[in-house]
Amino acid sequence: MAAAAAAAAAGAAVASRVSVGGIGPHAHHRQPTTVAVAAGPRARPVAVAAAAPSSPATGGVAPVPPRPGASVIKRHTLSVFVGDESGMINRIAGVFARRGYNIESLAVGLNKEKALFTIVVSGTEKILKQVVEQLNKLVNVIKVDDLSKEPQVERELMLIKVNVEPDRRAEVMVVVDVFKAKVVDISDHTLTIEVTGDPGKMVAIQNNLRRFGIKEIARTGKIALRREKMGESAPFWRFSAASYPDLEDTVPSNSLISTGMKAINQNSDESSSGDVYPVESYENFSANQILDAHWGVMTDGDPEGICSHTLSILVNDFPGVLNVVTGVFSRRGYNIQSLAVGPAEKQGTSRITIVVPGTDESIAKLVHQLYKLIDVYEVQDFTHLPFAARELMIIKVAVNATARSTIQDIARVFEAQTVDVSDHTVTLQLTGDIDEMVRLQRMLEPYGICEVARTGRIALLRESGVDSRCLRGFSLPL
């Protein structure tokens, strides 16, 4: 009782001294009051700051000044280059899930032995720095870059299926022409449209098509490359000797294929199993930090019945859901060949498109396991159904005055678009199937490929019921 009385008396004394020295008319510059609270034998001084003066404009309430160190939440685009191994996708997604980060979009370019993740998240600079440090601690993570700090070429691919009656089809085609989109499938009551651009363009075309009725959306997530600087200070100045005849006898500083990488490719059949393809040691990956043209070979027509299955998974947009979904694949030893994550047609949902090899029976069991997850709404296997599939690639190539015209001719043949130029590089954008991308990249390899960013496959069912793959072996009637 005595201790309680002493504490109450001390509190009253503090309140009295603050009222005298803190809020009076002459207390604007008064220093904080130091009071010794005698609530025990080890009393220590406590600094009590004087209250700020109030004003009639604030309703008699003293304004609270903002903290000088407060951070602003911003959207960041992370480029994570890794040496691929079993469960790598699940581990990278887990870094964000454990810290409550919701990945807004994810695009993964997968190689035989390496992968490039393009991740879009929102957060403060301080917290994101901690996430980058944790990513660098993962085994086989080669490089992590925050592309948001520099000018960049950013692109995203979307397939959007719209409900439209024949009498309103002309209105939709006007929107398609304005946004330079393409119609990839048409039926009596729907149109499936392919559009490529920055995230703002994706939002704009959705707003214009929403009045017709959007049925389904599949998006890849954003990919990005830095815009190349001009002059000799640029990172890829005189990158390739093939593009500069005066340097034919000089070895470029960034060799396209190192001796160690050649050894890996020669012994790839004897390597251990990885997340996508058989892999080997990753000690020499820093010398070849680009995705080469030997990725993404889809399995089809295997005598044992194994083929690449394209799964479309509609999930709740919640932090950690990607980690949960990819965990189902990694725990059962499935090799993910392609992965794309982006917002779906309904607010609060996302669509994950995954390509995974397996038999029809094994994939059916996998789909059954996915349906057991709480945040999974729908799982579709498009493999034996007619569907429209697209991928996106941005590729930066070293050029000089002579090579520039040749590369532009190659781009026109593949209907690729030029999205950035400098005095020594050209950056191209290509949308299509994986075979087109492999052919284009192999055509450009002799000139020197500086950087490559690509998405996984996205797909939507063709309402017309026409499978273009089945038409390739038949001649068209005259």
Side-chain angles (χ1 to χ4, degrees):
M1 294 297 291
V14 171
S16 175
R17 296 180 70 173
V18 169
S19 63
V20 172
I23 60 174
H26 303 287
H28 298 290
H29 304 286
R30 191 177 297 275
Q31 296 297 322
T33 306
T34 302
V35 182
V37 180
R42 295 184 179 179
R44 60 185 179 88
V46 178
V48 181
S54 59
S55 64
T58 59
V61 179
V64 179
R67 292 178 298 172
S71 300
V72 180
I73 295 178
K74 297 180 180 179
R75 181 175 284 107
H76 298 264
T77 302
L78 298 181
S79 175
V80 185
F81 195 86
V82 304
D84 183 49
E85 66 171 11
S86 181
M88 197 66 198
I89 296 175
N90 184 251
R91 251 181 288 176
I92 289 180
V95 171
F96 294 87
R98 287 190 297 271
R99 287 156 182 81
Y101 269 84
N102 188 24
I103 296 177
E104 297 182 17
S105 71
L106 171 67
V108 185
L110 298 175
N111 250 141
K112 286 186 178 181
E113 66 283 315
K114 50 184 175 282
L116 178 64
F117 291 72
T118 306
I119 306 170
V120 179
V121 294
S122 295
T124 62
E125 292 282 353
K126 179 179 179 181
I127 300 300
L128 197 72
K129 182 179 179 181
Q130 297 175 0
V131 173
V132 171
E133 290 176 354
Q134 294 300 319
L135 287 173
N136 281 317
K137 291 180 181 179
L138 295 179
V139 178
N140 294 328
V141 170
I142 301 171
K143 189 177 182 181
V144 181
D145 284 332
D146 186 357
L147 301 180
S148 307
K149 300 178 180 179
E150 300 181 34
Q152 57 183 290
V153 178
E154 56 179 13
R155 289 294 183 272
E156 187 175 349
L157 172 64
M158 177 173 66
L159 292 177
I160 180 168
K161 187 182 296 181
V162 184
N163 292 317
V164 54
E165 297 300 326
D167 57 340
R168 303 196 66 185
R169 193 168 293 164
E171 298 180 48
V172 176
M173 293 306 300
V174 172
V175 178
V176 170
D177 293 338
V178 168
F179 286 92
K180 297 182 180 180
K182 298 179 181 178
V183 175
V184 297
D185 185 61
I186 183 171
S187 68
D188 293 338
H189 304 287
T190 63
L191 283 177
T192 302
I193 302 167
E194 167 202 318
V195 59
T196 306
D198 57 72
K201 183 178 179 180
M202 303 294 108
V203 174
I205 193 172
Q206 287 185 62
N207 292 337
N208 281 271
L209 294 176
R210 190 166 285 116
R211 67 178 185 272
F212 301 101
I214 297 176
K215 187 174 182 180
E216 283 183 286
I217 290 177
R219 294 173 65 172
T220 60
K222 185 174 73 173
I223 58 175
L225 289 181
R226 290 186 180 90
R227 291 190 180 273
E228 188 68 9
K229 299 178 182 179
M230 303 290 286
E232 298 183 4
S233 61
F236 293 101
W237 175 256
R238 296 199 167 185
F239 175 81
S240 171
S243 297
Y244 300 90
D246 56 321
L247 295 179
E248 288 182 354
D249 297 330
T250 305
V251 179
S253 58
N254 294 321
S255 178
L256 290 178
I257 302 178
S258 65
T259 305
M261 287 302 302
K262 292 180 180 179
I264 291 176
N265 293 332
Q266 292 173 356
N267 301 325
S268 60
D269 296 336
E270 302 176 0
S271 58
S272 59
S273 178
D275 198 30
V276 185
Y277 293 98
V279 297
E280 265 289 352
S281 172
Y282 308 102
E283 296 177 356
N284 298 306
F285 273 7
S286 58
N288 186 20
Q289 295 185 12
I290 62 169
L291 300 179
D292 55 46
H294 308 286
W295 39 253
V297 178
M298 300 297 177
T299 308
D300 195 12
D302 189 86
E304 298 180 359
I306 298 176
C307 66
S308 295
H309 288 252
T310 302
L311 304 181
S312 177
I313 309 171
L314 186 66
V315 299
N316 184 26
D317 188 8
F318 188 81
V321 66
L322 179 62
N323 184 39
V324 174
V325 171
T326 56
V328 174
F329 291 83
S330 62
R331 287 193 299 270
R332 287 160 180 79
Y334 284 94
N335 298 327
I336 296 176
Q337 292 180 313
S338 174
L339 174 67
V341 184
E345 58 275 5
K346 294 181 180 179
Q347 187 73 21
T349 61
S350 295
R351 189 175 301 276
I352 304 174
T353 307
I354 296 180
V355 179
V356 57
T359 62
D360 293 345
E361 293 78 10
S362 63
I363 298 300
K365 294 179 181 178
L366 178 63
V367 171
H368 181 70
Q369 294 296 323
L370 289 171
Y371 267 117
K372 292 181 179 180
L373 301 179
I374 296 176
D375 292 316
V376 172
Y377 295 135
E378 182 185 36
V379 183
Q380 293 177 291
D381 186 358
F382 293 159
T383 307
H384 302 296
L385 299 172
F387 64 93
R390 293 291 186 274
E391 298 187 29
L392 172 66
M393 177 176 69
I394 304 177
I395 181 169
K396 185 184 293 183
V397 188
V399 298
N400 61 0
T402 304
R404 190 184 303 273
S405 59
T406 305
I407 289 178
Q408 293 292 345
D409 292 340
I410 297 174
R412 279 192 290 270
V413 171
F414 286 89
E415 296 183 356
Q417 299 179 8
T418 302
V419 294
D420 187 54
V421 294
S422 71
D423 52 353
H424 58 283
T425 62
V426 171
T427 304
L428 302 176
Q429 165 196 307
L430 177 66
T431 304
D433 57 32
I434 192 170
D435 295 332
E436 291 181 73
M437 298 184 183
V438 171
R439 289 196 296 269
L440 175 62
Q441 190 164 344
R442 286 177 175 169
M443 289 288 293
L444 297 177
E445 279 180 350
Y447 299 95
I449 296 176
C450 305
E451 291 181 290
V452 176
R454 60 175 292 261
T455 69
R457 171 189 289 182
I458 58 172
L460 287 180
L461 285 178
R462 291 184 180 271
E463 297 291 334
S464 62
V466 177
D467 190 350
S468 57
R469 294 179 302 172
C470 300
L471 301 177
R472 294 175 182 173
F474 300 92
S475 59
L476 296 178
L478 299 177

